[in-house]
Amino acid sequence: MSSTYGESLKLSIFGQSHGPAVGMTLDGIPAGLPVDFEKLQDFLNRRAPGQHHWSTPRREEDRPEFLAGIVDGYTCGAPIAAVIHNINTRSGDYDNLKDLPRPGHADFTAQIKYGGFQDSAGGGHFSGRLTAPLCIAGGMCKQWLEEMGILIGARIVSIGDVQDESELNPVEPQLDQIRKDFPVISEEAAEQMCRKIDEVRAAGNSIGGMIECCITGLPAGLGEPMFGGVENRIAQIVYGIPAVKSVEFGAGHLSGSMMGSQCNDAYTIVDGQVRTLTNHAGGILGGITNGMPVIFRVAVKPTPSIVKPQQTVSLENQTVYPLVVQGRHDPCIVPRAVPVVEAAAAIAMYDLLLSNTQTTRRK
Amino acid sequence: MSSTYGESLKLSIFGQSHGPAVGMTLDGIPAGLPVDFEKLQDFLNRRAPGQHHWSTPRREEDRPEFLAGIVDGYTCGAPIAAVIHNINTRSGDYDNLKDLPRPGHADFTAQIKYGGFQDSAGGGHFSGRLTAPLCIAGGMCKQWLEEMGILIGARIVSIGDVQDESELNPVEPQLDQIRKDFPVISEEAAEQMCRKIDEVRAAGNSIGGMIECCITGLPAGLGEPMFGGVENRIAQIVYGIPAVKSVEFGAGHLSGSMMGSQCNDAYTIVDGQVRTLTNHAGGILGGITNGMPVIFRVAVKPTPSIVKPQQTVSLENQTVYPLVVQGRHDPCIVPRAVPVVEAAAAIAMYDLLLSNTQTTRRK
Amino acid sequence: MSSTYGESLKLSIFGQSHGPAVGMTLDGIPAGLPVDFEKLQDFLNRRAPGQHHWSTPRREEDRPEFLAGIVDGYTCGAPIAAVIHNINTRSGDYDNLKDLPRPGHADFTAQIKYGGFQDSAGGGHFSGRLTAPLCIAGGMCKQWLEEMGILIGARIVSIGDVQDESELNPVEPQLDQIRKDFPVISEEAAEQMCRKIDEVRAAGNSIGGMIECCITGLPAGLGEPMFGGVENRIAQIVYGIPAVKSVEFGAGHLSGSMMGSQCNDAYTIVDGQVRTLTNHAGGILGGITNGMPVIFRVAVKPTPSIVKPQQTVSLENQTVYPLVVQGRHDPCIVPRAVPVVEAAAAIAMYDLLLSNTQTTRRK
Amino acid sequence: MSSTYGESLKLSIFGQSHGPAVGMTLDGIPAGLPVDFEKLQDFLNRRAPGQHHWSTPRREEDRPEFLAGIVDGYTCGAPIAAVIHNINTRSGDYDNLKDLPRPGHADFTAQIKYGGFQDSAGGGHFSGRLTAPLCIAGGMCKQWLEEMGILIGARIVSIGDVQDESELNPVEPQLDQIRKDFPVISEEAAEQMCRKIDEVRAAGNSIGGMIECCITGLPAGLGEPMFGGVENRIAQIVYGIPAVKSVEFGAGHLSGSMMGSQCNDAYTIVDGQVRTLTNHAGGILGGITNGMPVIFRVAVKPTPSIVKPQQTVSLENQTVYPLVVQGRHDPCIVPRAVPVVEAAAAIAMYDLLLSNTQTTRRK
């Protein structure tokens, strides 16, 4: 498996943070699907660094170059391949990471697994930069889903203890309520969160957050039993986003403190359609969509790279060592992670649609 | 994918609740591994119904019959196959479920996906009964991991609002602190939880809970980047357990409200080994084990089948309909789900060990 | 991989020759497909031993017991599982095979791979008996393909140097030309081949043969480029049939001695359909069906178990040893392999149909 | 599946003949493996066009650019990605292929499958040019196998009716007997074959051939039963090479005319090692290596693009049409296919070594 995902589509992500390029191949996509490159670029820009004053000042051009699979703006049936060349690499910053692993980072685990051969510059293959090719694949899948009336939108639920007080209606979410400038619903939350991030940065610290993702317009019946359910497949890809430590659906971890009479979503009929009055199931029963919005939440841990001194060890000397991480790092990657979560969801759902084995008969 | 799991091992689960048998095949296991059948039966008994007064009174013999793959108590290298025959089936109870889907159940999604051809008796392939073959596979993997010094133990963290006040130490968990009679640490919690379940049953309701699973003795370096990480693979299989709505690692959803200086696990050296002072990462960095215990939590929603009247719809008449679910159902499946979570974790970890691509060289 | 096959469907074969049962699980099949059990039994009987005077006198009842996945004669969407219990096992015959491997058999390779833990009785998991569950899966797929107008038929091309002089027309094969009593076209060939087998048996020897398989009624456009082509997928499954040593398509190995002007199949229009005048491509160009019959040939080596003395070695003593194989063995498995080749082809094609990614648009 | 191959390693091939680039990603390779780029280039040059006077005069620089996965000449554990930019593309030649498909080519099947959206220039994704990235992956695997003492060599057995009279000894093949200038053993065969190709080209025709590939130094015990055997896996990848129509192992299609006493390879002991006196099995019994050389043969059909007039149809007008293929094409791709077969074998064997489940215990 490793950096490869999918049942019917085969996504392969490659690249290291400071290597020549990051990129992806996406195999198994039908021919004849249009790609709107401008819209894709807009989507990639939502993830790109340097868009906000509080984001890392490194300025990278996330302009994908398509090497294969698209002709005259349409998929041609051959595998799609795209790369983003790395133009702003500074390998010198990272020389001591193989000996002095940063707490919370993959430095140590990479050192053990790869025996010192890993590319440690900028986090190598474990860098958040690898979410850029994920967004290329996801941005295209998102467009193809939109063509089918399936929309995906994510928002920040909280950063640290700052909540977005407004909520999406889980039964009928209005995705256009999510702000374009900062992906929350209430303007006040946007301001408070930005202020929070500024404070944290000033303190040489970092902060985590919670993201909610909604998928609307899905038909009922998508997903396979047991290990091929919607939850399994979304969780598998979403845990591929660095820093994600929790993936929950519908009422999620709160389900554990509910009674059946509370948690069960009663059925009703709306305009001839079977609907539920609540959506604690997050649109999924038995791993299969029930036609309600699919809703999941993801916890993003704080960026591990902080200026504040931390304790690490020298692997060579086997001694404890105080560490101050140099370099320019995001104090909070949660806003940039929002489109990445959407991308992951789009890839999982598009793959599900391609591989779905729904019957076409009725008893 | 559907009811198939694994990279190097291939687990396939089959059966319907009221069909002739449930079972599993497990392919890709090396030859020469011993299977202790008595120990396996003890493990299966932890999941079996009717062990507790508050559990469903249906009495099933979860005695696996091995059809293939084991000779004289050792794996022979051929695929392992085992079945449990269903002896206590009462199909008559379930006739109306295709028209009147139970809220919170897979009745509706199965009806849409399978067009009425699904086996609705007892939940069919969506029944919790399918966790029995999962426990056959997982129980064997657990034994093979133990041979390597890798132990897996799970406990109930909470049922409804009743918490186990005692906790496992995330840095050095003592799995034998978990009680054998009821999988919590504190005796008081055991009593309170059982009382809670009794109350809920008396009220014709059901209740959910939270389970924590610890894996100790793992080497550092296990897991592949991005989509093949420990988190991805555990989440993929654990979401195959019916009723699971949340899977989180280490600090989990609480990571979202932490600062980097809090969340990062500082490194230290203990007895010449690199260890962390805390374990918010749940033993996993960049998808790869760091040698600390792997810890994850799972929310189990309340059993959807409750006696309390609920609102459903008649799919045929397209009208709202009051529903009272008949039959004998567990008011709380959380205690029985504990070994199932262990089984899932064991399968995921054994698969990971088989497919791990750690280097044996050092730069 | 091992004993598991398929992209969209997942076939898992299990069992050892003299274990409790052989069987299969088949996952990923849509709900609502009918299974004609009588027709399936007829198909299995074509493979079963003891049908012909020259076949092994062991008499096994190849009656599958379905444990899951089929309700009231229709697939229910859950994985299908079926077993055939082994009732005529005589383990005593095979005790010395771990030390004295039979030439041409998997005895030696199994001993090395499984370190003596393998089930050597009757060939264990390497026995031709494992083709029985393959035929259960394949027999069902064959029925479902027939419903779509896709027919599969195989015939013996030759046994030793005895050829079936009559041939199927590769452009428009009439599958009903294949005889039911003995799968060749000409009656004379049937007689000569049976006589040949009798001679070989009398001589304590065995003999190989060549089988041709035709698939008609396939739409054009099936198959994926490079490694997912029709040839790749058929070859992958057909090489799972014991004793197959060659898989070739269309003109096959003769292509290597042809000129382009001979080998290329010229296009024409027949009844508004694009057809080719010849079919050297075996219905496949670039891995993808062109709408012509798919035709492939398979060489089946002679049964390795022969009464004639052979030279082997004692693995324990590391000395050369003369071997006389005891037991009742088929002098020629080619006739019984014919339905197995059809089964394999049916599984491969049904899987291809499920996973095909043909566009539905036109430029 | 499509353009993706592998169990433990994941190879993904992308690109179209006249697109910006062809390339590959190779995931799942352990860290710390050296790559000798010069040796790799030598290997790629064996496949590159324009090396021989009789080859296509198109001159392409098959210089791979490595984008990821290799640092300082060693694999770093991250997926390897490499591209070869296409510099000599002439799209104008191919405009009419969507309407007038070339006999023997994938033009027609691509048109049906992709509905006109396919990249038809130069054969698009079906071009032999896609074997260049296959050789990048295979060339590296070949180096890593050599490090383990496993050598792979292929030679031309025949072109048309011209045979290489000299043969490799199937029991102890000397791979250095294969000539470097032209991959046959006898000098006379080299001359005759080149002469044959010249004649064929002069006649505006093309010609096929047969290639034999040997793998020496393999341990016994490699390969999984049934569908994961060495034959299955080699066949699956080798059929990904355009123009291959037959894959056979050991005695191959000749097995079908042999008696058991002829075909069975008698065992003996040589220098304390179990060996066979003959090698009709091609080193494989029950899908598993027996420690003898693995030997397989591949038929390569004649290049379909010939100057000689052929009959095709206009898909638009549904009428028969005489076709003369323009452009410069190889009259015989067999010599250039030799390293491609080696590459495919190397990838399959390296994958097998990574995923092998041999026991380390002995009963």
Side-chain angles (χ1 to χ4, degrees), chain B residues 229-310:
Chain B
V230 178
E231 288 142 327
N232 314 62
R233 287 163 87 152
I234 286 180
Q236 197 208 335
I237 192 168
V238 168
Y239 270 121
I241 305 172
V244 167
K245 295 304 277 187
S246 165
V247 179
E248 45 184 331
F249 292 83
H253 73 277
L254 298 177
S255 314
S257 47
M258 289 169 101
M259 309 280 257
S261 56
Q262 279 177 284
C263 189
N264 286 349
D265 300 309
Y267 286 110
T268 188
I269 304 274
V270 177
D271 299 336
Q273 293 286 313
V274 176
R275 309 277 296 168
T276 59
L277 294 175
T278 50
N279 191 8
H280 297 122
I284 305 163
L285 290 171
I288 299 171
T289 56
N290 65 359
M292 298 297 293
V294 164
I295 301 177
F296 65 94
R297 290 187 175 203
V298 165
V300 177
K301 73 174 185 179
T303 332
S305 294
I306 55 175
V307 177
K308 260 182 185 294
Q310 301 177 85

Side-chain angles (χ1 to χ4, degrees), chain C residues 42-56 131 135 154-160 178-184 189-198 200 206-212 241-243 298-303 330-343, chain D residues 256:
Chain C
D42 287 346
F43 183 70
L44 292 172
N45 289 345
R46 288 174 56 200
R47 191 215 72 91
Q51 307 285 330
H52 303 278
H53 73 279
W54 38 262
S55 172
T56 165
T131 57
C135 282
R155 66 172 185 113
I156 302 174
V157 172
S158 59
I159 284 181
I178 303 172
R179 302 175 61 85
K180 299 278 173 266
D181 56 346
F182 192 88
V184 289
E191 281 163 25
Q192 285 177 343
M193 287 178 185
C194 290
R195 208 174 311 132
K196 184 75 179 184
I197 295 172
D198 281 338
V200 164
S206 66
I207 194 159
M210 184 75 74
I211 293 170
E212 180 180 71
I241 304 172
V298 165
V300 177
K301 73 174 184 180
T303 332
D330 267 343
C332 180
I333 52 162
V334 180
R336 289 178 59 201
V338 168
V340 181
V341 170
E342 292 178 6

Side-chain angles (χ1 to χ4, degrees), chain C residues 162-236:
Chain C
V162 184
Q163 301 273 334
D164 185 2
E165 297 300 337
S166 306
E167 297 220 327
L168 291 171
N169 177 351
V171 169
E172 215 161 347
Q174 302 301 320
L175 298 182
D176 53 12
Q177 288 185 298
I178 303 172
R179 302 175 61 85
K180 299 278 173 266
D181 56 346
F182 192 88
V184 289
I185 296 179
S186 103
E187 189 176 353
E188 205 188 321
E191 281 163 25
Q192 285 177 343
M193 287 178 185
C194 290
R195 208 174 311 132
K196 184 75 179 184
I197 295 172
D198 281 338
E199 284 169 29
V200 164
R201 190 188 41 173
N205 214 332
S206 66
I207 194 159
M210 184 75 74
I211 293 170
E212 180 180 71
C213 185
C214 278
I215 312 171
T216 64
L218 287 168
L222 274 183
E224 308 299 326
M226 298 206 76
F227 312 118
V230 178
E231 288 142 328
N232 315 61
R233 288 163 88 151
I234 286 181
Q236 197 208 336

Side-chain angles (χ1 to χ4, degrees), chain C residues 1 7 109 113 115 205-206 208-209 223 231-232 236 239 245 247 249 256 260-261 264 267 272 281 304 310-311 356 363, chain D residues 1 7 113 115 205-206 208-209 221 223 231-232 236 239 245 247 249 256 260-261 264 267 281 285 304 310-311 356 363:
Chain C
M1 205 158 29
E7 287 291 296
T109 54
K113 186 173 188 72
N205 214 332
S206 66
E231 288 142 328
N232 315 61
Q236 197 208 336
Y239 271 120
K245 295 305 278 187
V247 179
F249 293 83
S261 56
N264 286 350
Y267 287 110
Q310 301 176 84
Q311 176 179 314
N356 197 45
K363 197 168 184 174
Chain D
M1 209 159 27
E7 288 290 297
K113 187 174 188 73
N205 215 332
S206 65
E231 287 141 327
N232 314 62
Q236 197 207 336
Y239 271 120
K245 296 304 278 188
V247 179
F249 292 83
S261 56
N264 286 350
Y267 287 110
L285 289 171
Q310 301 177 83
Q311 176 178 315
N356 198 44
K363 199 170 183 174

Side-chain angles (χ1 to χ4, degrees), chain A residues 1-5 7 13 101-106 108-109 111-117 125-126 134 160 200 205-210 220-221 223-228 231-233 235-237 239-240 245-249 252-253 255-261 263-269 272 274 277 281 284-286 288-290 299-302 304 306 308 310-313 315 318 320 356-359 361-363, chain B residues 1-5 7 13 101-106 108-109 111-117 125-126 134 160 200 205-210 220-221 223-228 231-233 235-237 239-240 245-249 252-253 255-261 263-269 272 274 277 281 284-286 288-290 299-302 304 306 308 310-313 315 318 320 356-359 361-363:
Chain A
M1 204 157 32
S2 57
S3 303
T4 308
Y5 177 85
E7 288 290 298
I13 302 276
R102 289 168 293 176
H105 244 286
F108 173 67
T109 54
Q111 172 68 20
I112 296 299
K113 187 174 187 72
Y114 303 120
F117 291 99
H125 189 58
F126 296 92
L134 193 73
V200 164
N205 215 332
S206 65
I207 194 159
M210 184 75 75
E224 308 299 326
M226 299 206 76
F227 313 118
E231 287 142 327
N232 314 61
R233 288 162 87 151
Q236 197 208 335
I237 191 168
Y239 271 120
K245 296 304 277 188
S246 164
V247 179
E248 45 185 331
F249 293 83
H253 73 277
S255 315
S257 48
M258 289 169 99
M259 310 279 257
S261 57
C263 188
N264 286 349
D265 300 309
Y267 286 111
T268 188
I269 304 275
V274 177
L277 294 175
I284 305 163
L285 290 171
I288 299 170
T289 55
N290 65 359
V300 178
K301 73 174 184 180
I306 55 175
K308 261 183 184 294
Q310 301 177 84
Q311 175 179 314
T312 188
V313 292
L315 297 178
Q318 294 270 311
V320 167
N356 197 44
T357 58
Q358 203 150 344
T359 186
R361 316 187 189 197
R362 278 195 64 79
K363 197 169 185 174
Chain B
M1 205 156 31
S2 56
S3 303
T4 307
Y5 177 84
E7 287 291 296
I13 302 276
R102 289 168 293 177
H105 243 285
F108 173 67
T109 54
Q111 173 67 20
I112 297 298
K113 186 173 189 73
Y114 304 119
F117 291 98
H125 189 59
F126 296 92
L134 193 73
V200 164
N205 215 333
S206 66
I207 195 159
M210 185 75 74
E224 307 300 326
M226 300 206 75
F227 313 119
E231 288 142 327
N232 314 62
R233 287 163 87 152
Q236 197 208 335
I237 192 168
Y239 270 121
K245 295 304 277 187
S246 165
V247 179
E248 45 184 331
F249 292 83
H253 73 277
S255 314
S257 47
M258 289 169 101
M259 309 280 257
S261 56
C263 189
N264 286 349
D265 300 309
Y267 286 110
T268 188
I269 304 274
V274 176
L277 294 175
I284 305 163
L285 290 171
I288 299 171
T289 56
N290 65 359
V300 177
K301 73 174 185 179
I306 55 175
K308 260 182 185 294
Q310 301 177 85
Q311 176 179 315
T312 186
V313 293
L315 297 178
Q318 294 271 310
V320 167
N356 197 44
T357 58
Q358 203 151 344
T359 187
R361 315 188 188 197
R362 278 194 64 77
K363 199 172 182 174

Side-chain angles (χ1 to χ4, degrees), chain C residues 141-142 145-146 148-155 168-175 178 212-220 222 230-231 233-235 237-238 249-250 275 279 282-284 289-297 341-350 352-353:
Chain C
C141 289
K142 202 161 174 269
L145 290 169
E146 273 171 29
M148 306 162 77
I150 298 168
L151 302 182
I152 299 182
R155 66 172 185 113
L168 291 171
N169 177 351
V171 169
E172 215 161 347
Q174 302 301 320
L175 298 182
I178 303 172
E212 180 180 71
C213 185
C214 278
I215 312 171
T216 64
L218 287 168
L222 274 183
V230 178
E231 288 142 328
R233 288 163 88 151
I234 286 181
I237 192 168
V238 168
F249 293 83
R275 309 278 297 168
N279 191 9
I284 305 163
T289 56
N290 65 1
M292 298 298 292
V294 164
I295 301 178
F296 65 95
R297 289 188 175 203
V341 170
E342 292 178 6
I347 294 163
M349 297 320 293
Y350 196 75
L352 248 166
L353 279 157

